[in-house]
Amino acid sequence: MAPEKISVRCCIAGGGPAGMMLGYLLARADVPILVLEKHGNFLRDFRGDTIHPSTLELMHELGLLDEFLELPHQKVYELNAQVGETRLTLADFRHLPTRCGFVAFMPQWDFLNFLAEKASRYPAFKLSMEAEVTDIIEDAGRVIGVRAKTAQGEVEVRADLVVGADGRSSIVREKAGLRVKEFGAPMDVLWFRLARTAADPVATMGRFDAGRIFIMLNRGDYWQCGFVIAKGQYEEMRRQDFATFRAAIAKLAPHVKDSVQELRGWDDVKLLTVRVDRLLEWFRPGLLCIGDSAHAMSPVGGVGINLAIQDAVAAANILSQPLREGQVTVEHLRRIQQRRELPTRVTQSLQVAVQRRIIARVLTETKPIKPPLAVRLLGKIPLLRRIPARIVGVGIRPEHVSPEIRRAGTAVTAVSN
Ligand SMILES: Cc1cc2nc3c(=O)[nH]c(=O)nc-3n(C[C@H](O)[C@H](O)[C@H](O)COP(=O)(O)OP(=O)(O)OC[C@H]3O[C@@H](n4cnc5c(N)ncnc54)[C@H](O)[C@@H]3O)c2cc1C
């Protein structure tokens, strides 16, 4: 059967935080867009549930904050750690120059469903679920569309602009032959959930001990746990008795010694292979990559979602008018990379430094560990905690929704009311 043919101004591959935010903003600015998402819904394994103060600020600028905060979430005001036997607070979000002085923990599917629902109010927005992009279509060196597999068969989408927002294993960037710089990572992370009881502590916590790093995120009735291991160690661990793994967790966090028994085996544990990379060029004529597709982030600091959303805002601000007028040039795409490359570079450099100087050392240490001087200072001087709070909560060069897109949304809402 001949593939169905669709034409649209902008086709976005991937409905994650970057793709859905860009789709929402462009549709609000009346640019006909189509988001192709390979999954049938937004329900996935844990992929980070953090909605940062900067994203909450964007929600405010879009007039969506109050409604958004009605969704179930936990507010996290500070980040705490236990290094060896010393407990300290590392970051305090309360003093950020943003409307919300906290990180909202919310399942990513709630966030994406919210954006999809809000975007569906705009006639310019189309979302196709179970639509997997398999290739790009090129003509004379320019990307002019994508091919996708859907439940109804093959589809060919022609677009003035294709946006690769399909995450760190991006098919779009691979097919476009964009060159990637890899930075390496000394660790992988095992993610799993443990039941949380009323008697448990409330703090979201990182525990650093000789050879061990264990993260516990308070998600109300459960803990979202990240057990950091040295890269490549997973296969060796799998050969050991699973009880050894349970015992290691119970030793790090004695208050979960009962709930850890609920972990039945390795099927209850999800491996995140940590990767840090960045495209040398984020675009080609007719194509732009944003979010993890342009730069896979380390989980250090939990900032990947924030960067993906900030990329989407910068892209929408620069592209909404030229896209509407059918006038997108390579210069527009270059401007987006120029705007977002600095925050990405700086954040990745910090992440790589933490990976090398702290994580790699802790994971290979055999003797009891003590907090390094910089961490002790954070613990002692509350004012200093505003620095990591700023980097994690707001990031470098925070983006704001352009007045044009803010106004556009108000006009459409007023008409539909
Ligand atoms: C286990 C884990 C924990 C994490 N924890 C955090 C955290 O605490 N805080 C944080 O900020 N970040 C965290 N991250 C990173 C964060 O999830 C990413 O940085 C962020 O989701 C990037 O957003 P994105 O939209 O660019 O890509 P993604 O979220 O990866 O979205 C890409 C989307 O594209 C779809 N897709 C992929 N291929 C195709 C295709 N061929 N066709 C159509 N659709 C496609 C995918 O289904 C997905 O919906 C974590 C990641 C993982 C895996």
Side-chain angles (χ1 to χ4, degrees), residues 358-410:
I358 300 181
I359 296 178
R361 284 191 193 165
V362 172
L363 288 177
T364 49
E365 186 56 78
T366 49
K367 292 193 226 105
I369 60 167
K370 289 190 181 139
L373 177 66
V375 173
R376 286 204 306 276
L377 288 174
L378 287 175
K380 287 219 167 87
I381 309 173
L383 209 61
L384 288 183
R385 295 174 201 157
R386 297 183 188 192
I387 300 169
R390 178 95 191 200
I391 295 169
V392 172
V394 178
I396 289 117
R397 190 181 276 164
E399 302 291 341
H400 296 280
V401 181
S402 72
E404 185 220 329
I405 298 179
R406 292 188 211 191
R407 274 197 306 274
T410 324

Side-chain angles (χ1 to χ4, degrees), residues 13-19 36-39 44 46-50 52 108 131-134 165-168 171 191 217 272 290-293 297 299 302-306 308:
L36 300 172
E37 167 52 49
K38 73 173 174 185
H39 288 99
R44 325 265 164 77
F46 174 71
R47 298 141 58 79
D49 293 348
T50 47
H52 297 77
Q108 204 179 98
E132 180 175 358
V133 173
T134 52
D166 49 343
R168 56 206 208 113
I171 190 88
W191 288 102
L217 310 176
L272 165 65
I290 59 169
D292 272 18
S293 154
M297 306 299 292
V303 292
I305 299 170
N306 196 25

Side-chain angles (χ1 to χ4, degrees), residues 256-270:
V256 294
K257 69 177 184 327
D258 293 331
S259 56
V260 81
Q261 302 309 321
E262 290 163 20
L263 285 181
R264 289 158 302 174
W266 292 111
D267 286 349
D268 290 342
V269 176
K270 170 108 175 95

Side-chain angles (χ1 to χ4, degrees), residues 28 49 54 65 106 109 132 154 171 203 214 231 233 254 265 272 297 300 302 317 340 369 378 402 417:
R28 180 167 164 140
D49 293 348
S54 55
L65 183 63
M106 178 186 291
W109 53 85
E132 180 175 358
E154 295 274 329
I171 190 88
F214 187 47
K231 193 157 253 338
Q233 198 192 347
L272 165 65
M297 306 299 292
V300 169
N317 288 346
R340 295 304 307 155
I369 60 167
L378 287 175
S402 72
N417 284 344

